[in-house]
Amino acid sequence: HVQLVESGGGSVQAGGSLRVSCVVSGLSRSAYCVGWFRQAPGHEREGIATIDTDDMTTYIDSVKDRFTISQDNAKNTLYLQINSLKPEDTAMYYCAADIVRLNYGGVWYDPKYWGQGTQVTVS
């Protein structure tokens, strides 16, 4: 049984910081790729960051200078550090995983496994 559980969301003022976490179970780290997605009201879900087993990361341009994806493989945990938050960052944030890469040269693919999401609200 594969399960991804996010935590750490909340409400924060613009310019503030937040770290969200995702604990993954039922998958071997060597067998899957992981990343973060978000969906704001009235918008399509978008991929925002990925991290490989060798810690190589990718980001979309809108978050590249403010968000940091990381992992602690011993704890089966994925993190997203979110700094300098803007109101437009308000969204439900999801971690996701699949046995294939989540993006290839900026083209995103829909992962098979998802968490339930954690809400980030910026005012």
Side-chain angles (χ1 to χ4, degrees), residues 22-24 71-79:
C22 173
V23 178
V24 182
Q71 62 192 341
D72 185 338
N73 292 332
K75 297 180 179 179
N76 298 317
T77 302
L78 180 71
Y79 303 98

Side-chain angles (χ1 to χ4, degrees), residues 36-62:
W36 287 96
F37 291 71
R38 67 182 180 184
Q39 187 167 20
H43 294 262
E44 294 183 344
R45 183 182 61 214
E46 64 174 345
I48 54 175
T50 65
I51 187 166
D52 296 330
T53 55
D54 63 356
D55 288 333
M56 187 177 74
T57 58
T58 65
Y59 302 90
I60 58 172
D61 288 342
S62 62

Side-chain angles (χ1 to χ4, degrees), residues 38-41 86-93 119-123:
R38 67 182 180 184
Q39 187 167 20
K86 304 175 181 179
E88 53 263 42
D89 293 321
T90 295
M92 184 73 76
Y93 284 73
Q119 179 68 39
V120 174
T121 301
V122 185
S123 62

Side-chain angles (χ1 to χ4, degrees), residues 27 29-35 37 50-52 96-104 108-113:
L27 290 172
R29 182 66 185 94
S30 64
Y32 64 90
C33 302
V34 295
F37 291 71
T50 65
I51 187 166
D52 296 330
D98 208 332
I99 60 173
V100 300
R101 291 179 62 183
L102 304 184
N103 73 80
Y104 293 86
W108 291 81
Y109 297 88
D110 195 29
K112 182 176 181 179
Y113 302 107

